[in-house]
């Protein structure tokens, strides 16, 4: 190959890289427009409000039965645009709104923290019985914790929302966990962003041990509560 050919091939490669980068930027811009301050975000916020209200009602029903608040606190959020991009990249997916909508379950998310492990399943049962809720998938990371030690019950569900002309089913991820699981997950979340550092690997192992301690603490607290319930 002569030097003239080498230069043109090199240039062609650079132009293609620039074109690819421009296309990626364009797709990301379109994705941002469809995710942020959009029809999607408006409907997503409606889905969050509806699910939070449903959880309030369930808490009231269970409060009448158990005489205590079963759900201690709850929050809802739309996944941030940067976080959506990171997740798409991690999964090797295109920066496309419809791909994100189909493949990312927690674009719209609600988290509820319960007092005891059995409360989590009572709340999930009551939700499952509702006519305007469809359970798409259940991931029980309490019965089968993740390798990291992460525990929570995830319900990927759809809620029906009546808009002006039609009823739409909106996908939302509900994470149910105890206060101990929540404490562990928030520390782990901080660590996860620092993964790759040498010290982080040691902390990883320590966190796995803490997850086991937390699981046994939850079980002990549940046993004590059940004893007290019988008195
Ligand atoms: P962020 O920043 O919290 O939003 P999949 O459904 O298998 O295609 P996905 O969506 O990763 O893939 O499912 P998974 O594993 O059920 O995780 C969904 C969410 O659960 C995560 O969202 C976290 O919020 C939480 N989670 C899962 N594993 C862990 C863990 O090991 N530690 C902590 N702290 N949280 C975890 P994001 O988007 O990954 O993160």
């Amino acid at each position: 190959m002569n030097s003239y050919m080498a230069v043109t091939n090199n240039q062609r490669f650079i132009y293609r890289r620039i074109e690819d980068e421009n296309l990626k930027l364009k797709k990301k811009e379109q994705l941002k427009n469809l995710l942020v301050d959009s029809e999607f975000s408006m409907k997503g916020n409606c889905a969050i409000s509806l699910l939070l209200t449903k959880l309030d009602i369930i808490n009231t029903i269970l409060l009448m039965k158990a005489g205590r608040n079963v759900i201690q606190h709850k929050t809802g959020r739309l996944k941030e645009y940067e976080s959506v991009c990171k997740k798409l990249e991690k999964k090797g997916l295109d920066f496309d709104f419809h791909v994100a909508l189909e493949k990312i379950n927690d674009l719209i998310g609600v988290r509820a923290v319960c007092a005891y492990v059995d409360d989590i399943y009572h709340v999930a049962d009551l939700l499952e019985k509702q006519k305007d809720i469809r359970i798409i998938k259940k991931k029980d990371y309490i019965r089968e914790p993740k390798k990291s030690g992460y525990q929570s019950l995830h319900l990927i569900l759809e809620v029906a929302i009546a808009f002006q002309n039609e009823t739409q089913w909106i996908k939302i991820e509900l994470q149910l966990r105890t206060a101990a699981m929540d404490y562990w997950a928030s520390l782990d979340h901080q660590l996860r962003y620092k993964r790759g550092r040498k010290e982080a690997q040691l902390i990883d192992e320590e966190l796995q041990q803490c997850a086991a301690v937390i699981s046994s603490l939850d079980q002990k607290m549940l046993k004590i509560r059940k004893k007290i319930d019988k008195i």
Side-chain angles (χ1 to χ4, degrees), residues 1-16:
M1 191 191 293
N2 63 34
S3 63
Y4 173 75
M5 276 282 285
V7 170
T8 48
N9 278 344
N10 204 13
Q11 277 176 334
R12 237 181 257 139
F13 175 73
I14 293 168
Y15 286 145
R16 204 172 309 131

Side-chain angles (χ1 to χ4, degrees), residues 176-222:
L176 291 159
R177 50 174 78 150
T178 62
M181 291 171 193
D182 194 46
Y183 164 72
W184 183 93
S186 63
L187 290 189
D188 179 67
H189 199 267
Q190 283 171 23
L191 173 78
R192 285 206 297 157
Y193 287 104
K194 294 178 185 165
R195 287 238 162 111
R197 279 173 37 186
K198 207 178 166 198
E199 322 80 274
Q201 279 178 9
L202 289 174
I203 299 168
D204 250 6
E205 285 166 23
E206 284 183 310
L207 268 166
Q208 282 168 5
Q209 289 165 14
C210 288
V213 173
I214 269 166
S215 170
S216 114
L217 177 75
D218 268 334
Q219 291 306 325
K220 277 188 186 156
M221 295 305 280
L222 180 60

Side-chain angles (χ1 to χ4, degrees), residues 112-226:
V113 174
C114 297
Y116 301 95
V117 179
D118 61 345
D119 292 337
I120 292 175
Y121 294 99
H122 290 147
V123 172
D125 281 350
L126 288 179
L127 270 175
E128 278 185 53
K129 285 182 185 138
Q130 308 209 357
K131 283 190 183 128
D132 52 355
I133 283 192
R134 295 200 289 227
I135 306 288
I136 307 289
K137 202 174 184 183
K138 204 190 262 186
K139 294 189 193 175
D140 194 339
Y141 297 130
I142 299 174
R143 294 202 169 120
E144 276 183 65
K146 291 187 81 165
K147 217 176 133 209
S148 60
Y150 177 77
Q151 296 176 74
S152 285
L153 177 68
H154 289 194
L155 299 182
I156 321 295
L157 44 88
E158 283 180 332
V159 288
I161 306 196
F163 292 106
Q164 206 174 2
N165 298 319
E166 50 163 1
T167 294
Q168 264 189 30
W169 289 88
I170 311 244
K171 185 165 75 172
I172 183 161
E173 181 183 86
L174 172 65
Q175 298 182 347
L176 291 159
R177 50 174 78 150
T178 62
M181 291 171 193
D182 194 46
Y183 164 72
W184 183 93
S186 63
L187 290 189
D188 179 67
H189 199 267
Q190 283 171 23
L191 173 78
R192 285 206 297 157
Y193 287 104
K194 294 178 185 165
R195 287 238 162 111
R197 279 173 37 186
K198 207 178 166 198
E199 322 80 274
Q201 279 178 9
L202 289 174
I203 299 168
D204 250 6
E205 285 166 23
E206 284 183 310
L207 268 166
Q208 282 168 5
Q209 289 165 14
C210 288
V213 173
I214 269 166
S215 170
S216 114
L217 177 75
D218 268 334
Q219 291 306 325
K220 277 188 186 156
M221 295 305 280
L222 180 60
K223 267 191 193 161
I224 296 172
R225 197 214 72 213
K226 283 184 175 169

